[in-house]
Amino acid sequence: WSNQFESLWLLTCAMALFYSALIPMTDALAVRSIRNLNVPYTRLRVGGSIGYVIAVASTGFLIGHFGPSIVIPVMCSYLLLALLTTFFIKEQAYDVSPQKESASFVSLLRAKESILFFVLAFLSFMSHAPFNVFFAVHLESVGYTGQQIGLLIALGVIMEIVLFLFGGNLVRKFHLFHIMLLCFVCGAIRWFLVGWFAEILWVLVLTQMLHCITFALFHMVSIERVRRLFPERYASQGQAMYSAFAIGLGGGLGMVGAGYLWEWVGDAWVFTIAASISVLALVILWGSQHLR
């Protein structure tokens, strides 16, 4: 029933206060539940991508028939299903890691490798912020229809699902440095092309196919990196730091900055700045290897 910015902002903060803990806890539980199985984490994570597609498609259909007021009841229905699902979770005990178990969470967090990872994750999600907020607006401004925009967004999610299903073991076969390097190179290319060549359809198709690298592959690497940096005792806290600092703070500041820059310099330059952030992350990553 809220119709003012102030009350909506307070409600959003209240929801975020409780909702923000869910992602790190579920990721930690997912990693722990498959530790003795030959199943990559991404086989579980793909459920989120499939759920996203189902939710968007079904809610869009319902909005067309019942109007925007149907959104809140649908969200509550999905949250109720999630609540019921939690009663079927059987949490496993965590393994003790002798070399890290004696260390405190703060000391692990202050380690150079941890700081480097969180900075890179922060920059990665900051570079994605203009896409998350203004991609549809940008495409509409260059003449794409709502149906075309929806299909392009769906293509990115489909590529994400494909990688999660069939590329789960990539992080074990290649060095994490090389995978992150690929993610930031593709990010710089993707955002630059989206900014300046959005009117060319095949270019947009290519950039959406890169979504499986810039987002999905980086998320896979991040989950693996958190698992290596923090023992199971601190798995939830490590995932929480990743969610809060990278996804929350990085993505949040990126969205706010993109909103102001959109009015000041225009859409193409906003995506160019996003590409520059990927380049900055690339330089930091490359430099960290040469300083060792």
Side-chain angles (χ1 to χ4, degrees):
W1 295 283
S2 173
N3 58 4
Q4 293 182 346
F5 173 79
E6 291 79 7
S7 56
L8 185 61
W9 183 81
L10 290 173
L11 287 169
T12 303
C13 290
M15 178 182 176
L17 178 65
F18 297 97
Y19 193 79
S20 60
L22 290 178
I23 295 177
M25 284 196 296
T26 51
D27 279 336
L29 284 171
V31 172
R32 190 184 305 175
S33 67
I34 59 174
R35 65 186 176 196
N36 297 322
L37 305 174
N38 190 26
V39 177
Y41 155 82
T42 54
R43 295 286 175 86
L44 302 184
R45 174 57 181 80
V46 74
S49 301
I50 296 174
Y52 175 83
V53 173
I54 294 174
V56 170
S58 61
T59 307
F61 175 79
L62 292 172
I63 290 174
H65 282 74
F66 301 102
S69 61
I70 198 66
V71 171
I72 299 301
V74 169
M75 289 178 64
C76 292
S77 300
Y78 289 153
L79 287 172
L80 178 60
L81 288 174
L83 174 63
L84 294 175
T85 305
T86 61
F87 290 100
F88 296 92
I89 295 177
K90 297 181 180 180
E91 185 175 358
Q92 301 180 28
Y94 58 80
D95 288 334
V96 175
S97 177
Q99 67 274 20
K100 287 187 177 181
E101 199 67 28
S102 58
S104 67
F105 175 73
V106 175
S107 63
L108 294 173
L109 196 60
R110 290 178 177 176
K112 291 182 179 180
E113 291 186 347
S114 298
I115 295 174
L116 173 64
F117 164 69
F118 285 122
V119 169
L120 293 175
F122 175 91
L123 293 174
S124 175
F125 281 95
M126 178 175 278
S127 71
H128 276 79
F131 170 80
N132 294 331
V133 180
F134 291 116
F135 183 64
V137 177
H138 180 53
L139 297 192
E140 187 177 5
S141 68
V142 296
Y144 288 92
T145 65
Q147 184 178 13
Q148 290 173 323
I149 295 171
L151 289 173
L152 285 167
I153 294 175
L155 174 62
V157 179
I158 290 171
M159 296 303 299
E160 174 185 316
I161 291 173
V162 170
L163 183 67
F164 281 150
L165 280 176
F166 303 107
N169 292 318
L170 285 175
V171 293
R172 299 178 183 176
K173 295 180 179 179
F174 298 94
H175 197 285
L176 295 185
F177 166 75
H178 297 135
I179 298 178
M180 283 192 170
L181 205 67
L182 175 64
C183 292
F184 289 124
V185 168
C186 290
I189 295 172
R190 182 186 183 188
W191 306 134
F192 181 80
L193 292 177
V194 168
W196 296 100
F197 300 96
E199 67 278 2
I200 305 175
L201 180 60
W202 70 265
V203 172
L204 273 186
V205 171
L206 173 63
T207 62
Q208 285 303 94
M209 293 179 70
L210 289 177
H211 184 73
C212 68
I213 297 177
T214 63
F215 170 73
L217 184 58
F218 186 85
H219 182 65
M220 289 164 53
V221 172
S222 297
I223 295 298
E224 178 65 18
R225 194 62 180 151
V226 171
R227 187 188 69 81
R228 295 184 186 183
L229 290 172
F230 301 95
E232 285 198 47
R233 177 183 178 185
Y234 301 123
S236 294
Q237 291 99 313
Q239 294 291 349
M241 279 299 302
Y242 167 61
S243 297
F245 187 74
I247 302 175
L249 187 60
L253 290 178
M255 290 177 186
V256 173
Y260 283 106
L261 290 170
W262 196 268
E263 296 182 354
W264 294 342
V265 299
D267 48 1
W269 282 105
V270 168
F271 283 102
T272 303
I273 293 171
S276 302
I277 293 174
S278 294
V279 173
L280 174 62
L282 190 63
V283 171
I284 293 174
L285 177 62
W286 188 269
S288 68
Q289 298 300 308
H290 287 273
L291 288 175
R292 291 184 176 182

